[in-house]
Amino acid sequence: MAGELVADGVGCARRGRTILEDVVLHARSGELVGVTGPSGSGKSTLLMLLAGLERPDRGRITLDGNPVGPGPALGFVLQSYGLLSLLTASENVEIALQAQRLPPAEVRGRSAEALGQLGLAEHAARLVDELSGGQQQRVAIARAIVTNPRLLLVDEPTAELDRENRTVVMTTIRNARRRGAIVVIATHDAAITAECTSIVQLPPQRQDQLDLQQAAG
Ligand SMILES: Nc1ncnc2c1ncn2[C@@H]1O[C@H](COP(=O)(O)OP(=O)(O)OP(=O)(O)O)[C@@H](O)[C@H]1O
Ligand SMILES: [Mg+2]
């Protein structure tokens, strides 16, 4: 799986406030990039930009020379999971495959396989609403990997991962890297940053920007 993710001089402002300034990121197939920084430093914003779901105000982001966007090449685990709570775990995973016009049996099979890898086989038919936070995160990961994406973005929840979930998350990331995916993870977890091939450290939100935010109410 050939692949190169490049972010060059990326800047982003929202409502007149600077959120990201001159962010640079280079990653090749199989690499793991950690995005670290305090709360509010722009980790989630950077992942949205890398996913092509929001546009930078400055700079360029490309995967193999092309803009990134939604599709099977992109897997994204949102910080808030972004699951449909009134659907089952497997229905949430199947959604990621449905745009690809695969035979229904293959969709079900691949969804079951992904949920199994995340240790959720016996929860596949349960509504997301009835699952714990950690289980929901694993459903979100299953949905993100089920298409074998070239680029896997993981926005870790702010809450600390428990040991079981951390092991599952790390195994999943290692497997994705082994088959050549580029993985970018926003994390505070030292065990995960220790495995990263590079780190993008975002500075804390600037005080003048915070003042502006407070003045605006
Ligand atoms: N759509 C938006 N409009 C205005 N401000 C925004 C928007 N999205 C994010 N922000 C602001 O941008 C800053 C960065 O937010 P972001 O969620 O990217 O930080 P983060 O590093 O992911 O934080 P956390 O560790 O708490 O998840 C924050 O000050 C936030 O309030
Ligand atoms: Mg965040």
Side-chain angles (χ1 to χ4, degrees):
M1 197 182 306
E4 187 175 26
L5 175 69
V6 178
D8 205 10
V10 167
C12 171
R14 293 283 177 263
R15 296 187 215 159
R17 294 195 306 112
T18 303
I19 295 174
L20 297 170
E21 218 173 350
D22 201 23
V23 175
V24 175
L25 182 161
H26 283 255
R28 289 179 182 281
S29 177
E31 292 186 342
L32 172 63
V33 182
V35 178
T36 62
S39 180
S41 60
K43 300 180 298 295
S44 295
T45 304
L46 178 58
L47 263 55
M48 291 297 283
L49 297 175
L50 293 175
L53 300 177
E54 287 185 25
R55 286 172 155 271
D57 298 303
R58 260 184 244 136
R60 265 169 17 107
I61 296 171
T62 56
L63 181 63
D64 290 336
N66 299 308
V68 188
L74 173 71
F76 197 172
V77 183
L78 292 162
Q79 188 166 15
S80 52
Y81 312 138
L83 299 171
L84 296 165
S85 59
L86 296 176
L87 297 184
T88 65
S90 38
E91 285 164 345
N92 270 276
V93 177
E94 287 166 15
I95 283 171
L97 294 170
Q98 260 145 15
Q100 291 185 68
R101 300 175 177 278
L102 302 169
E106 183 177 344
V107 170
R108 284 194 299 273
R110 283 175 61 176
S111 161
E113 191 187 339
L115 286 166
Q117 279 169 19
L118 275 299
L120 289 167
E122 71 268 41
H123 299 301
R126 287 180 66 192
L127 296 180
V128 161
D129 244 0
E130 298 169 350
L131 300 177
S132 73
Q135 289 166 340
Q136 290 184 21
Q137 186 190 28
R138 282 185 275 144
V139 176
I141 294 171
R143 184 181 57 184
I145 60 157
V146 75
T147 60
N148 293 326
R150 284 192 295 151
L151 176 61
L152 176 61
L153 306 174
V154 183
D155 201 349
E156 209 183 73
T158 324
E160 190 97 344
L161 287 174
D162 64 29
R163 197 194 303 173
E164 184 194 354
N165 248 32
R166 179 201 276 153
T167 306
V168 173
V169 169
M170 289 177 74
T171 305
T172 307
I173 289 171
R174 287 188 199 124
N175 289 341
R177 293 178 66 185
R178 209 168 290 134
R179 57 162 191 78
I182 296 169
V183 186
V184 182
I185 183 164
T187 185
H188 296 284
D189 192 314
I192 294 178
T193 51
E195 289 198 12
C196 289
T197 45
S198 64
I199 303 271
V200 175
Q201 169 79 52
L202 298 176
Q205 201 177 6
R206 276 161 30 193
Q207 188 57 45
D208 55 332
Q209 301 287 335
L210 273 171
D211 293 343
L212 263 177
Q213 190 174 7
Q214 270 153 17

